[in-house]
Amino acid sequence: MLKSFFYLLLFSCFASTACAQGEQEANLKAAFIYNFTKYIDWNFDATETNKNDFVIGVIGNSPVTASLNEIAKENGVGYKRIVVRVFNSPEDIGSCNILFIPRRSPFSLRSILEKVRKGTLTISEEAGFARQGTAFNFVIINDKLKFETNLKAIASAGLKAGSQLLKLAIIVDNS
Amino acid sequence: MLRSKIIVIALLLIAPVLLNAQKRPANDDVDSLLKLSLEELMNIKVTSVSKSPEKLEEAASAIQVITQADIHNSGAKTLPEALRLASNLQVAQVNASQWAISARGFDNVLANKLLVLIDGRTVYTPLYAGVFWDVQNVMLEDVDRVEVISGPGGTLWGANAVNGVINIITKSSKETKGLLVEGAAGSNLPALGSLRYGGKLGDKISYRVFGTGFKLGNTLLKNEKKANDEWTMGKGGFRMDWDASEKDKISFQGNIYDAKPNPAGKDTSSVAKGDNLVALWNHVSSAKSDFQLQLYYDHTSRHYDNGLKEDLKTYDVDWQHRNQLGYRNEVTYGANFRIMNHNVTNLPLFGFYPSQKTLYLYSAFLQDKIILVKERLGFTIGAKMEHNSYTGLEFQPNGRLSYTPTKKQTIWAAVSRAVRTPARIDRDFSLLLAPGIAFVSPNDNFVSEKLVAYELGWRTQPVKALSVSLSSFYNVYDNIRSVEPGPPPSGLPVTFGNGVKGESYGIELAVISQLTNWWNLKGGYTFLKKDLSVKPGSRDSNKASAESNDPEHQFVVQSNVKLPRRVELGTLIRYIDKLPKPYVPSYLGLDLRIGWKLSKAIELNIVGQNLLDAHHSEFIPSSPSPREIERSVYGKVTFRL
């Protein structure tokens, strides 16, 4: 994969707030998301649709989409191949195993969470979102990427997260 | 002679390709990251992209960015050397401490159509409306990037941003933690050394302190004897960044410096000293609104070896507020107030009158960035109104249109008006041949130089690894400075008038490509033509040359190759066409850098500069005598903890 410089993003953006995230950061988050999938009990038999696909949805534009697509080329989850789907608005949100919510989204978190189906793990990257209901939320502390988790959100999605994952997380709901 | 130089360069560019046949994956790509465990991933430092500059028109201007990596790869020792990396600038070394730097022409040691800022602080002198490059050294290790915008920036940046703006941005102290020690010496570098330490005070405050100094070697006189113009400079300072709250960021910076430039090679050099303090508060009210307040104090003083003294104290307050109104309009407005207290100790025959003058500058600007068609067409309109002590109110409007037909292309067009307001030399300067016999007399009627610029540009990224930007401009100038003779028979005293007008036009091409994981190439070509004439009623003794000397063509190519065993090879090639008058022949310059990271803590660099000729000339000033720049080599050791 060829490395591109931040000013390439600068040139190709047009008043887009996604400009501020570097490619390294996007790649890092995608790697985290892929690693999360190994520690979650997905209940694959319970969801009937997309039997052979593990769908990672992204609502709106984000540089993380490209990184996820790179991962999808040669990696899968269990026996399933990874498919990355971009949804243009909350109304378009279809069934997916993970929904990634990029920061500075033009849509409010509430409108997105209303349309998320059961069985979907929500992952965001904006301050405070885990507290507001996403299952995982990326934060940068001391220039390193960490993640918050909302245990209730994981449970209401009908999923279970392994203790190895939770011990690395910052738990925001003290349940 | 030229052909053999080109062959040498071609071999140097190809050699690393032959040496490095294997592919080395970069460490930040997804495949490498997937090999790590979650714990290891959580230990990686996130390199977030530098924030889009606040005042920048990303889509609609001719901007080139010199990154820290570019500076590091080039082996540049000083700030003016680093500016060579922008092909949209005319950069010429005049002697050991003086440089002629401009954009879109009108280059001169006293070039006055370029605005230069370091972290938001203007470094222009009201003495001649230009920059004293011999005191503008920043520790290059601390530079995050240099934004070079060619074209008028009058609306956002104010008067004097006629032909371009150079914005030098240093790293936040968050990114310069730990100890850094560097030392260098070479054939034309008696010494260069820096010490920097950065750390944290608690969770939210980071800081750095640094000291840097150098003695740069002499240039040669035309008879190949030493010019004795060595340049010595020492600088120290600090920076502190405080994340006061989730929405507020505050930063403080201070510098103090002392330089001994000696361009004429006299027994005693001039002394130029200064100190400055900058405070910046950035507040994000919401995703749709943020503002910034900046205050700075800048003190510079120069004592020339002939006894002339100049002291300048600047106090500046600047406010800017950005608001996203609805989905279509991004409105930015701001206000600025600046006091410049200028004190000159005149010589009996040479001086500025009154010797003490306080200049006031008030300005306000408003800009609206409008989305006409979502992700396709945008229009920005803005204006700055400025009031200065010499000419009163000046108006600098501009309009920009940006069209994005496909995801990978943008076409933009702009029309702008910009002014270069009078400096003390235009209005207050007096030179006598002998007591009572005036040679140059002040002119109270000198008005601002004006520019109306028409620009058209195209930017495309046809494949991920290639980015191309092509800008063209047509500038119409009026009231450019002329030298008007006095009444016959002697023609004395002369005064500075506004007797030159004319046009200039040109194109600027810039290409950035990441050819492979380990090889990147950046380059640019600039074409410039000027057509100036004397206005009716003027008897300009310079015959409309406007004291400028510019090349018609220039190109710059920078290549950086990552070789095995942590070795890097950087190459910088520049071709500068001849300068018309005074004549300087065209030249091809080659700089090479070999860098080797012995370990995480130690880096060695060997840099050869101006390698193709034993010595060459880049610019001939009106004084002191013309110089030649010698071929040189230096070695540098950098130690990081």
Side-chain angles (χ1 to χ4, degrees):
Chain A
M1 177 158 148
L2 297 173
K3 192 165 125 179
S4 50
F5 290 169
F6 79 87
Y7 39 81
L8 290 182
L9 289 177
L10 198 73
F11 286 164
S12 57
C13 292
F14 176 72
S16 161
T17 51
C19 286
Q21 184 173 123
E23 191 171 316
Q24 188 246 23
E25 192 178 326
N27 284 345
L28 206 51
K29 285 178 180 167
F32 267 71
I33 294 173
Y34 180 67
N35 271 280
F36 288 170
T37 64
K38 299 186 199 162
Y39 295 96
I40 306 239
D41 192 352
W42 292 102
N43 295 333
F44 278 152
D45 296 10
T47 39
E48 277 305 319
T49 45
N50 307 321
K51 281 210 185 72
N52 291 319
D53 294 343
F54 182 92
V55 183
I56 303 182
V58 181
I59 170 113
N61 291 323
S62 168
V64 177
T65 306
S67 312
L68 289 170
N69 274 318
E70 265 306 305
I71 294 181
K73 281 188 191 159
E74 305 211 349
N75 298 281
V77 177
Y79 60 85
K80 299 185 181 227
R81 63 167 188 170
I82 297 177
V83 171
V84 180
R85 267 219 202 104
V86 175
F87 303 119
N88 290 320
S89 74
E91 285 69 37
D92 293 338
I93 294 178
S95 71
C96 46
N97 301 93
I98 290 180
L99 180 70
F100 179 67
I101 304 168
R103 65 175 175 222
R104 305 228 195 114
S105 176
F107 311 108
S108 74
L109 181 61
R110 185 193 256 171
S111 66
I112 296 172
L113 292 179
E114 272 171 9
K115 303 288 186 188
V116 167
R117 306 189 190 179
K118 185 157 170 119
T120 302
L121 188 76
T122 47
I123 304 181
S124 56
E125 51 170 0
E126 191 154 347
F129 272 27
R131 207 155 279 136
Q132 291 179 54
T134 59
F136 287 97
N137 186 43
F138 288 119
V139 288
I140 295 183
I141 296 178
N142 286 337
D143 301 323
K144 300 201 178 133
L145 196 59
K146 308 264 186 279
F147 56 98
E148 298 170 329
T149 184
N150 182 323
L151 299 174
K152 216 157 143 197
I154 301 179
S156 15
L159 301 170
K160 258 202 300 223
S163 55
Q164 289 155 302
L165 180 62
L166 293 180
K167 76 168 194 254
L168 295 173
I170 302 165
I171 301 178
V172 299
D173 57 333
N174 297 311
S175 50
Chain B
M1 202 52 235
L2 191 66
R3 190 185 300 178
S4 55
K5 288 180 193 168
I6 293 177
I7 292 174
V8 168
I9 292 169
L11 284 176
L12 282 167
L13 283 180
I14 296 173
V17 180
L18 299 174
L19 285 173
N20 199 354
Q22 25 113 315
K23 222 177 154 187
R24 270 180 57 238
N27 293 331
D28 299 335
D29 73 336
V30 154
D31 293 314
S32 308
L33 292 176
L34 286 185
K35 297 195 177 111
L36 304 174
S37 70
L38 204 48
E39 285 91 340
E40 288 170 317
L41 287 176
M42 289 171 80
N43 246 329
I44 293 180
K45 227 180 130 199
V46 179
T47 45
S48 37
V49 152
S50 315
K51 201 173 65 150
S52 298
E54 278 92 87
K55 291 178 178 173
L56 176 62
E57 312 290 1
E58 302 104 337
S61 64
I63 176 176
Q64 293 192 21
V65 179
I66 304 172
T67 63
Q68 161 61 223
D70 294 335
I71 297 174
H72 186 73
N73 297 339
S74 69
K77 320 185 284 285
T78 61
L79 184 58
E81 284 178 25
L83 293 177
R84 288 203 204 271
L85 302 174
S87 63
N88 56 349
L89 285 180
Q90 283 83 43
V91 179
Q93 181 169 6
V94 180
N95 52 54
S97 57
Q98 292 185 312
W99 292 74
I101 301 182
S102 189
R104 300 196 171 164
F106 292 95
D107 201 14
N108 193 322
V109 177
L110 305 183
N112 57 23
K113 301 196 191 352
L114 185 67
L115 181 64
V116 181
L117 300 112
I118 298 181
D119 287 331
R121 177 177 57 94
T122 304
V123 297
Y124 124 105
T125 169
L127 193 65
Y128 63 83
V131 177
F132 280 117
W133 288 103
D134 56 10
V135 291
Q136 302 311 337
N137 210 51
V138 224
M139 198 169 128
L140 290 181
E141 271 283 341
D142 282 349
V143 174
D144 180 65
R145 66 192 187 279
V146 179
E147 292 160 5
V148 180
I149 302 166
S150 45
T155 296
L156 289 181
W157 306 93
N160 277 71
V162 173
N163 276 13
V165 183
I166 296 181
N167 197 5
I168 296 151
I169 299 167
T170 61
K171 297 178 187 169
S172 155
S173 54
K174 288 185 202 163
E175 294 170 52
T176 55
K177 297 211 194 90
L179 181 66
L180 180 134
V181 183
E182 61 179 9
S187 67
N188 203 30
L189 179 65
L192 184 151
S194 317
L195 182 68
R196 178 185 80 193
Y197 181 73
K200 287 195 88 150
L201 293 173
D203 222 8
K204 300 185 183 235
I205 301 180
S206 62
Y207 68 91
R208 69 163 170 261
V209 290
F210 74 93
T212 183
F214 57 64
K215 180 168 179 180
L216 293 191
N218 55 276
T219 53
L220 297 179
L221 299 170
K222 287 290 186 187
N223 59 11
E224 298 193 354
K225 289 217 164 84
K226 286 194 198 184
N228 292 327
D229 56 352
E230 290 90 358
W231 174 27
T232 314
M233 176 158 176
K235 182 172 188 171
F238 78 93
R239 177 169 168 151
M240 189 184 94
D241 294 281
W242 176 25
D243 283 348
S245 79
E246 234 182 50
K247 302 185 176 227
D248 296 281
K249 279 198 190 351
I250 297 180
S251 99
F252 293 100
Q253 284 194 54
N255 289 290
I256 183 164
Y257 63 83
D258 191 325
K260 294 192 171 39
N262 190 3
K266 303 223 172 115
D267 293 329
T268 46
S269 70
S270 303
V271 178
K273 289 197 232 220
D275 46 275
N276 53 70
L277 213 49
V278 183
L280 176 65
W281 172 33
N282 200 297
H283 176 89
V284 176
S285 316
S286 71
K288 299 184 185 213
S289 158
D290 49 78
F291 68 73
Q292 173 175 297
L293 176 66
Q294 176 182 270
L295 291 95
Y296 75 78
Y297 162 71
D298 191 330
H299 171 224
T300 64
S301 90
R302 295 188 83 98
H303 292 201
Y304 292 89
D305 57 278
N306 61 12
L308 183 74
K309 291 189 186 135
E310 188 224 355
D311 189 287
L312 174 68
K313 290 191 180 65
T314 306
Y315 307 85
D316 186 287
V317 181
D318 192 276
W319 159 263
Q320 269 193 65
H321 192 180
R322 185 193 70 94
N323 269 293
Q324 181 75 33
L325 298 180
Y327 127 84
R328 282 189 194 277
N329 296 72
E330 186 184 301
V331 175
T332 311
Y333 68 90
N336 173 283
F337 177 53
R338 182 183 302 165
I339 302 174
M340 286 171 280
N341 202 326
H342 198 227
N343 253 295
V344 186
T345 303
N346 291 319
L347 298 177
L349 301 179
F350 179 111
F352 295 82
Y353 297 91
S355 59
Q356 197 272 339
K357 186 156 187 157
T358 304
L359 300 168
Y360 298 92
L361 188 68
Y362 318 76
S363 68
F365 81 88
L366 177 64
Q367 173 183 277
D368 189 6
K369 213 167 171 184
I370 307 166
I371 297 178
L372 294 175
V373 176
K374 184 173 174 186
E375 287 182 23
R376 278 270 178 278
L377 195 60
F379 180 57
T380 304
I381 185 148
K384 182 171 227 168
M385 196 70 120
E386 217 174 67
H387 183 282
N388 68 77
S389 297
Y390 285 122
T391 60
L393 277 181
E394 298 279 6
F395 183 55
Q396 300 182 91
N398 93 39
R400 298 177 174 261
L401 199 62
S402 172
Y403 175 51
T404 310
T406 71
K407 252 191 175 165
K408 301 190 185 222
Q409 293 188 69
T410 301
I411 299 168
W412 58 272
V415 181
S416 330
R417 180 181 195 267
V419 298
R420 199 277 291 172
T421 52
R424 295 214 68 193
I425 196 171
D426 301 308
R427 284 245 181 143
D428 301 339
F429 178 60
S430 162
L431 179 63
L432 304 176
L433 284 178
I437 308 179
F439 182 33
V440 180
S441 282
N443 175 11
D444 268 343
N445 297 321
F446 188 89
V447 296
S448 300
E449 300 182 337
K450 294 184 188 19
L451 163 69
V452 177
Y454 304 88
E455 300 175 88
L456 187 62
W458 175 57
R459 193 167 272 145
T460 177
Q461 195 180 347
V463 294
K464 194 161 183 219
L466 180 67
S467 169
V468 178
S469 161
L470 184 65
S471 312
S472 64
F473 64 92
Y474 177 68
N475 286 351
V476 181
Y477 293 97
D478 197 8
N479 294 338
I480 301 292
R481 183 164 68 205
S482 57
V483 178
E484 304 292 338
S490 61
L492 297 181
V494 308
T495 53
F496 293 119
N498 296 99
V500 174
K501 69 172 169 56
E503 292 100 43
S504 73
Y505 54 90
I507 56 173
E508 291 157 357
L509 174 68
V511 176
I512 301 168
S513 64
Q514 182 72 38
L515 295 174
T516 69
N517 278 344
W518 42 269
W519 188 17
N520 88 333
L521 206 57
K522 269 179 100 159
Y525 165 71
T526 294
F527 169 70
L528 169 70
K529 245 187 132 81
K530 285 185 356 251
D531 183 10
L532 301 175
S533 55
V534 175
K535 289 171 78 160
S538 160
R539 293 173 296 141
D540 183 25
S541 19
N542 282 337
K543 302 215 180 11
S545 70
E547 313 139 14
S548 64
N549 207 2
D550 305 302
E552 206 169 276
H553 309 271
Q554 67 179 37
F555 79 72
V556 175
V557 177
Q558 187 184 14
S559 151
N560 194 57
V561 176
K562 288 193 178 77
L563 297 171
R565 304 228 192 290
R566 296 207 200 126
V567 175
E568 286 189 0
L569 177 66
T571 312
L572 178 65
I573 298 164
R574 64 186 191 276
Y575 170 74
I576 314 289
D577 193 16
K578 63 184 188 302
L579 303 187
K581 196 172 173 192
Y583 176 74
V584 176
S586 63
Y587 77 91
L588 192 61
L590 172 66
D591 294 356
L592 284 183
R593 171 194 86 109
I594 299 175
W596 182 26
K597 284 203 170 82
L598 251 84
S599 69
K600 243 190 167 168
I602 305 179
E603 184 183 338
L604 298 180
N605 275 288
I606 297 180
V607 181
Q609 296 180 301
N610 300 307
L611 294 172
L612 295 178
D613 298 291
H615 51 80
H616 73 282
S617 169
E618 293 184 12
F619 198 88
I620 297 181
S622 40
S623 78
S625 55
R627 302 294 162 74
E628 300 262 315
I629 319 295
E630 285 183 276
R631 173 190 290 153
S632 63
V633 179
Y634 77 86
K636 179 161 112 168
V637 182
T638 310
F639 179 69
R640 281 169 233 263
L641 251 186

